[in-house]
Amino acid sequence: MKDTLLAISAYILSAVFSLSFFFFLFKLLQFNALLGFALLSFLILIAILLITDPDFIQEVEE
């Protein structure tokens, strides 16, 4: 029961964080489009680097 409560709390917390980030990004794009696109480009670059890095996700050897 405790594990289920912790998992649900983690999902709710991550949803709140993601919603607040998207609202912040929307307000930033309204305020300064260049700064907003720079932040988006930086996040996309980080995501691409992490996805293409072969050592980022390693299989567990047993």
Side-chain angles (χ1 to χ4, degrees):
M1 182 69 183
K2 183 180 176 183
D3 291 337
T4 307
L5 182 63
L6 286 175
I8 291 171
S9 299
Y11 283 128
I12 291 172
L13 189 63
S14 65
V16 168
F17 282 155
S18 62
L19 281 175
S20 67
F21 175 72
F22 285 120
F23 282 127
F24 164 74
L25 194 57
F26 180 71
K27 290 292 185 183
L28 184 65
L29 283 169
Q30 279 184 337
F31 175 70
N32 189 347
L34 184 62
L35 191 61
F37 284 120
L39 180 64
L40 278 175
S41 301
F42 181 68
L43 291 174
I44 290 171
L45 177 67
I46 289 174
I48 289 172
L49 288 175
L50 288 176
I51 289 171
T52 58
D53 185 18
D55 295 329
F56 181 63
I57 299 175
Q58 298 177 356
E59 293 186 24
V60 177
E61 295 181 8
E62 294 183 29

